[in-house]
Amino acid sequence: MASLAPSPDAPNPALAAQAALLARPVTEERRMADAIRALAIDAVEQAKSGHPGMPMGMADAATTLFTKFLKFDAADPRWPDRDRFVLSAGHGSMLLYALLNLTGQEGMGIDDIKRFRQLHSPAAGHPEYGEHPGIETTTGPLGQGLANAVGMALAERLLAARFGKSLVDHRTWVIAGDGCLQEGISHEAASLAGHLQLSKLTVLYDDNSITIDGDTALSFTDDTLKRFAAYGWAVRRVDGHDPADLAAAMLWASRSRRPTLLACKTIIGFSAPTKAGTAGSHGSPLGPTEAAAAKSALGWNHPPFEVPDGLRAQWEAAGRRSAGTRRSWLKRLTRHPQREEFERAIAGRLPNAWHEALATLRIQTAEQKPKLATRVASQKALEALVPAVPEMVGGSADLTGSNNTNVKGIPAVTPGNFAGRYIHYGVREHGMAAAMNGMALHGGIIPYSGTFLVFADYMRPAIRLAALMRQRVIHVLTHDSIGLGEDGPTHQPVETLAGLRAIPNLCVFRPGDAMETAECWELAVKRADGPTVLALSRQNLAAFRTDTGENRCARGGYVVEEAPGPRQATLIASGSEVGLALAARTALEAEGIATAVVSLPCWELFAAQDASYREQVLGSALRVGIEAATGFGWERWLGPDGVFVGMTGFGASAPAEALFKHFGITAEAVVAAVKKRLG
């Protein structure tokens, strides 16, 4: 069968279409869009790198959106009831930076645009959350922004159900490209959005038929509209260069009872005389000659980075278009009976007495000394926390009964009904994690959800971005070791802890009993500047903590049992292996070997302690690390002379007790290792 992709030597049909478009009378809307194109061309040329094609192609759609539909006020880009705009195709970042600049938002001046892609510029290569208040999320890894937007749209519905339409009533708009829709995460996120009937979500699909390798027909022949229709979305084809068609489609989308996809047919690199409609305009500067010719074709005869005053004034007026709407909202907020609670939730402040039920649970745990799997202890912590913190919204990727993330009496979210606080995400781990990022970014929600620890690999790109954006997102990852047993090596995450611990600004907690689990949950909820993983056991673990004062996990590691005299060995463990270390200590002490046991539930917090505390905890005697995972990274705590007792390869299918014995992760093995090293 002949290839669907055109030959590289074939005539470029986009150029003929472009010529017809350029021959149209130049309207006010076209001239405003041309300002975006010119800034994108100039910034990429000056930086000598970047992606001019998408901003040039989607400038008309963005102009229609920002001048007629998007609810925002340039004077207050963080206004809580603003519409959210997500540039999922983050490589086209100059589209967003041009819009921020033109609408008059402080912090993205022409000097910032001139420093596009340079160190310390807010106009980074891809949009980075925190660099400018108008950047709603970090995008660039394709599909993540679309999935974030699903979370934002979901958060809007949840908060509207809690606080009412007078405070929460806004839309989420997305610009996504072919690459976003090819990524697997887009399938997960779009399916979830359609199922939940997130009617205030609209995706503007930049349907330009070009990817880095060339025509999308090389690899992508989906019928995208049929695909989204099958998810339950409303779909429509749009001329991406016709302001009237774009406006009619956006109005239609804003009235839909379903999420909407507008397939905007565009020409990538619009106005470039030879590179328009080709991959040559996607990811590199046009070059001085092509850039000049592109601007000339537009009739843009201004020096680089210059926008005529009259045109800039029109754009700044667009930036003020919703100022009256914002003032009216502020008046409603002043009179609203839930004002204080709304402002507290949006600011991310916890309720005053949020920790009291958890403190009571810790006292009960000390008294009862329960032998529980930490996933079950986690559910008990949630039963204390969720009623006390109304912005906590839970969920699971089809593993509710295994993750123990549900709380009795807390209803689930169902399609079109957002009064619940528990989300059945389905088997969509990646989409779940990215949607949680969007919920946190939206504000007013503290999302947590669960799956098995081994499936963190499916979630990792979203977890990484949560860490990069410093978002409070909590992942309950159960079945944390070979201790899950019979499901075998496919489900036994021997290397996963090491991989998660390698992500900067991610706190990975692996509690060893019910008390530590409650303490780790307290720390996770309090942590407002980054995501948290709770790695929890399937198997029951004996209690070893009975103190209820200081949260000892807050320092990341501490001495559980000190040696009766000068240490000869220090056993350092996390999670289920702390109990094993304590059993080994008893045997070693019986043989006269002075041994201490250290619990190390959170490496990241322990690393943040001062050196003297870490030395005091770890000691100068032989250090033995014990964890039912691979030893990668343990040398940090064990030093050059330490010993590691754990996994050296993949697990196997068998009952947990048999596996620990088979792989030599037992108290007897620890005792033997210590005695051998001490001679």
Side-chain angles (χ1 to χ4, degrees), residues 94-183:
M94 266 310 305
L95 177 70
L96 176 55
Y97 303 149
L99 289 163
L100 296 177
N101 172 266
L102 291 167
T103 55
Q105 299 199 30
E106 291 185 13
M108 193 61 73
I110 281 294
D111 287 342
D112 297 307
I113 299 289
K114 288 179 179 178
R115 294 174 48 247
F116 175 56
R117 288 183 157 236
Q118 306 309 302
L119 188 62
H120 304 309
S121 171
H126 293 83
E128 294 182 20
Y129 178 80
E131 290 296 322
H132 186 279
I135 299 172
E136 298 283 5
T137 180
T138 296
T139 56
L142 294 177
Q144 292 287 333
L146 172 58
N148 291 167
V150 170
M152 292 175 185
L154 177 52
E156 189 273 345
R157 292 288 78 201
L158 292 167
L159 291 172
R162 180 179 173 189
F163 294 108
K165 187 176 180 180
S166 65
L167 289 188
V168 185
D169 185 18
H170 54 266
R171 300 188 60 81
T172 302
W173 301 84
V174 184
I175 287 181
D178 294 300
C180 292
L181 300 191
Q182 289 180 45
E183 291 283 2

Side-chain angles (χ1 to χ4, degrees), residues 506-523:
L506 173 66
C507 275
V508 180
F509 290 100
R510 189 167 184 250
D513 72 351
M515 182 68 76
E516 282 199 346
T517 304
E519 290 183 345
C520 291
W521 258 113
E522 179 184 6
L523 296 167

